[in-house]
Structure formats: C-alpha cells, structure tokens
Amino acid sequence: MDRYAAWLKGIEKERNGLRRTLMLWSDVNSYSYNREGLERMAGLLETDFSGLGAKVRKIPLRPAPGADPTAPRGDGPLGPMLLVRKARPRPRVRALLGIHMDTVFPPGHPFRKSRRSGSDRVVGPGVADAKGGLLILLKALERLEQSPFRNGLAWTVFVNPDEEIGSPGSGAPIRALAASHDLGLLFEPCFQDGCLVHERAGSGNFVLRVRGRAAHAGREPEKGRNALVALAGSMLEVSRLQDPDAGILINVGRVEGGGPVNVVPDRGAAFFNVRVTSPEAQGRVESALASIVASVNGREGFSAVLEGRFQRPPRQLDRGSRRLMAWVEDCAQALGQPIRWRSSRGASDGNLLAAEGLATVDSLGVRGGGIHTPDEYADLESLVERIRLTALLLMRLASGDLHGAVSDDRAEQEDGAGGKHERA
C-alpha cells in the first residue's frame, strides 16, 4: 500500500470540485431520447476525458431492429456513444471501464435541477445513476495516469447513451469490446448501505399484440371477437408466471387498444417487463409465453404475436469475476473500506460483458438512493471513497501486484479452439 499512497493523497480535498462537476453534469438533461441533451453531455465529457491524453471518439448509434418493441420512439438515431482509448505498447492488463450517461427524466419534467442537501449530499437527476459513477471513473483514471505505474495498464472507456432503455444501440458494440479486454469495471451505483452487486437478474421487454374482429356491439356482437378480452385473459396467464422464489418477476406496464364502447374492439396490445435470475428461469418464461401465444392463435377469429426478447441475460458469477471481486475486496481492505456483496434484480451492461465471458465488477459507483425518482441523491463522501478504491485497483493491476493470477489462469485455460483463452 505504501508504494501507492503518494498517488492517492489529496482526493478528499477535491470534494468541492467533485460536487460542482457532479451538479453541472446533473443539470444537463440527458434523457435517453433527448438527443440534443445527450450531444451536449457527450461534448462536456469529450473535453474532460481529453485531459487524459487518450484518443476520444463519438460514435453515432441506431437501435438494432426490434431491440425493444416497448420503446416510445421508432428506430431513429440515438445519442452518441463516447469511446476513449489509451493504448500501451506492452500492457500487463487491458481494462474495459464503462457507464452510461443517459437518465430517466425527460425535458420539462419538474425534477431538472440539482441541489445540495446538507454538507454531504447532492440531490439531482442522475447523480447516483450514474453520473456520480462516471465522475469516479474519470477521476480514478486521472490518478492512474499521474502515477508511475500507468504503462502497465491499457484501457478503454465507453460511455453509452441508451442503458436506461436496454442499450438497444450500444449493446452490440459493448459486447464486441469484451473480446479485446481482460476485465471489466462498470460504475453503476452500489446499494445505499455500500454493498456492491455480484449477481444480477436478466431483463427483457415484450409486447403481446392480439387481433380479433370488429362488430357492432348491439346489433351483431356474436360476429365480433373481442381482442381486449382475449388480451386480458392472456395477460392474466402471463402474470401467473410470476414466481419470486424461482427468480421470475413480471410487470405489466401498459395496455393499449379499443375505441368507441359500442364497437367490439379488434386490436389490443400489452407491454410488459420480465426479470429472471437464471438461464433456467429464462427458458421457463420463454416456453410459457410461446404456449400463451399458441393458445390465442388456436381460437377461431383471433391471432396473436409476441414481440421482444431478453435484452440482457441473467448474470451469474464465474471464477474470473469471483477473482476480480477478491481483488476489489483486497484493495478496499487496504483503504479501510470493507466490502460486502449481494445480488440485485436490476440489470446493467455488466450482464452483457459477463455473457461474453469477461470478468466484471459492475457497481463501483456512488452510494445513493431514490434512484429513478425525484428524490435521487448521492453521498459525496462515497465519491472520495470510490475514487480511492478504483485508483488503487487500477494502479495495482498496472504494477503487476494483482496480475500474476490472470496471466497464469489464461495460460492454463487455453481451450485449443483458435487459441482462445478463458478471460481473467
């Protein structure tokens, strides 16, 4: 620890500057569908990251076809994704760091400005999820690049504009990045009590669309086929799939269809989210949904179609992620910041990286609360703590203190298929 102490000094003295930057970023509306705000946020970040001497690029994105049928917009362009790369000639470790810049409150929402809450909190849109984490990422890299250990670590940063809507445009580029890195660090907020996340639920958005047959509700109701009634019955079946003990959560968020009450409605649609904690639970849900659709299609005068998919698979721990977690714990212990872990039913881009086999820790962001509500807050002290923790982790990786096990494991795990190795 002594060899790194000089490069961790003084972070607590930057607290006021950290607060100002966090509030500045929070006051930029970067709602997932606000392209103008996302462009502005990307511009600020482009300036801030340029001080690291890395290559900074803005990448235009469009959502993948059918990525999320519940999205309120079509397949128009999204905000830009920021990609920052620092190459090294012969790095010990290649780290992928990332977090999103988008938030959940649209322009014009009453919750639009940040404010101080006492001496140790900031309240504002996105301060915890995840602009506080974005600030931690930036400042930890600044410390690494000021240190004599920097040449041992090559790194790439992605900042995506669409995580809150399932990463429909950035998901494929993020998954592709996993192949050229040894480990992933994401900066989603930790829990309010400081616990970090280990396993995460998978998440999928779906739309069930039912078509029936229109008819006069008084003269010839027998000729009609009520799409809304059929849809309601199907959604009751969907809701019965909910089984928290088996790791299945269902939320029906919106229903559309119908028209004048004197006409038998011929169309209806239900929009719903499913969360699963294991591949087995995901398979169970997918099979049941297919049976529900087939049941509607087997009725005379009705047809049904299910749109959507699991955008993020469930994340379960592998050996590489457990080792990376142990390294985080070791660094935290050295700083007097004991770490605990627990699972989350929230999904993140960490699910995508883990699905590619990349050892990942994805909750190195701030302590906070009220996420996705007008009471969202971040604890300022946790900014200082997490910058210190992440900077120490990066420096120890770069110096080789934590790298021997990665090299040995990758050499031992060569699978003989095209020379690929199990990562970290």
Side-chain angles (χ1 to χ4, degrees):
M1 176 62 191
D2 289 346
R3 65 188 298 210
Y4 307 105
W7 313 105
L8 298 173
K9 284 182 180 178
I11 296 174
E12 62 281 353
K13 295 179 181 178
E14 299 177 19
R15 183 167 163 155
N16 288 336
L18 294 171
R19 173 181 53 77
R20 287 192 294 270
T21 299
L22 181 57
M23 294 178 71
L24 172 67
W25 288 357
S26 174
D27 290 347
V28 177
N29 183 283
S30 52
Y31 174 57
S32 306
Y33 294 104
N34 179 13
R35 285 189 62 206
E36 181 180 351
L38 289 163
E39 287 279 5
R40 183 182 171 201
M41 187 70 205
L44 290 175
L45 296 176
E46 195 172 14
T47 299
D48 290 331
F49 276 98
S50 65
L52 297 173
K55 183 178 180 181
V56 184
R57 289 192 297 143
K58 285 199 294 186
I59 301 172
L61 296 178
R62 294 186 74 91
D68 183 4
T70 68
R73 308 286 174 93
D75 60 353
L78 299 162
M81 178 175 173
L82 205 68
L83 200 63
V84 189
R85 290 185 185 273
K86 188 72 171 184
R88 307 285 192 197
R90 299 181 64 185
R92 289 190 173 94
V93 179
R94 300 162 300 169
L96 178 61
L97 300 89
I99 194 55
H100 59 95
M101 65 173 126
D102 60 322
T103 53
V104 301
F105 295 99
H109 191 280
F111 188 45
R112 67 183 74 173
K113 283 289 186 180
S114 60
R115 58 181 174 84
R116 298 179 65 173
S117 178
S119 61
D120 58 352
R121 281 188 179 179
V122 169
V123 175
V127 290
D129 188 19
K131 292 180 179 178
L134 181 52
L135 186 56
I136 291 167
L137 183 163
L138 172 64
K139 294 300 179 179
L141 283 175
E142 286 180 358
R143 291 285 167 155
L144 169 71
E145 292 301 317
Q146 293 164 6
S147 78
F149 313 106
R150 57 186 177 273
N151 289 330
L153 187 76
W155 51 264
T156 303
V157 170
F158 70 84
V159 185
N160 54 328
D162 58 346
E163 191 274 346
E164 294 290 5
I165 55 174
S167 305
S170 64
I174 288 170
R175 294 183 80 145
L177 285 168
S180 57
H181 293 83
D182 301 308
L183 56 89
L185 303 175
L186 268 67
F187 292 80
E188 292 286 348
C190 61
F191 288 103
Q192 287 176 269
D193 61 1
C195 281
L196 272 65
V197 176
H198 48 62
E199 295 184 322
R200 285 189 182 272
S203 179
N205 293 331
F206 299 88
V207 182
L208 178 60
R209 300 187 189 275
V210 175
R211 296 192 68 171
R213 185 186 301 147
H216 192 290
R219 280 193 174 190
E220 300 177 309
E222 70 282 358
K223 292 185 177 181
R225 298 293 182 268
N226 193 310
L228 290 185
V229 172
L231 178 66
S234 296
M235 293 314 298
L236 284 175
E237 291 185 58
V238 170
S239 68
R240 292 189 191 107
L241 296 175
Q242 175 136 311
D243 186 350
D245 291 339
I248 300 173
L249 295 177
I250 310 280
N251 183 62
V252 182
R254 189 166 88 247
V255 177
E256 296 177 353
V261 295
N262 60 351
V263 177
V264 177
D266 65 349
R267 299 190 184 197
F271 299 70
F272 59 101
N273 173 262
V274 183
R275 294 178 186 252
V276 293
T277 59
S278 69
E280 294 76 20
Q282 180 175 328
R284 175 178 159 187
V285 169
E286 290 171 333
S287 177
L289 291 176
S291 295
I292 290 169
V293 172
S295 176
V296 176
N297 285 325
R299 298 171 59 185
E300 188 275 326
F302 290 96
S303 65
V305 62
L306 181 70
E307 300 173 4
R309 59 182 171 80
F310 282 93
Q311 288 87 6
R312 295 189 175 110
R315 181 190 171 192
Q316 296 181 308
L317 293 180
D318 59 14
R319 184 171 63 174
S321 290
R322 290 183 187 278
R323 183 180 299 110
L324 181 55
M325 289 165 56
W327 291 344
V328 171
E329 289 177 13
D330 190 55
C331 291
Q333 188 69 35
L335 294 168
Q337 302 176 23
I339 292 290
R340 293 178 295 124
W341 307 82
R342 70 174 194 256
S343 62
S344 171
R345 288 174 174 170
S348 83
D349 290 324
N351 295 55
L352 304 180
L353 296 180
E356 297 300 312
L358 189 67
T360 303
V361 168
D362 68 2
S363 52
L364 287 167
V366 296
R367 290 193 311 274
I371 292 169
H372 293 189
T373 79
D375 299 314
E376 182 171 349
Y377 71 88
D379 284 335
L380 293 174
E381 186 58 33
S382 69
L383 283 173
V384 175
E385 292 173 2
R386 294 296 194 238
I387 292 168
R388 287 170 59 82
L389 173 60
T390 305
L392 178 59
L393 176 65
L394 294 176
M395 286 189 286
R396 292 186 68 184
L397 286 167
S399 70
D401 278 4
L402 300 175
H403 181 251
V406 175
S407 297
D408 295 344
D409 187 57
R410 286 178 62 142
E412 292 170 5
Q413 293 298 322
E414 182 171 358
D415 63 12
K420 290 182 69 177
H421 303 273
E422 179 182 320
R423 296 183 190 89

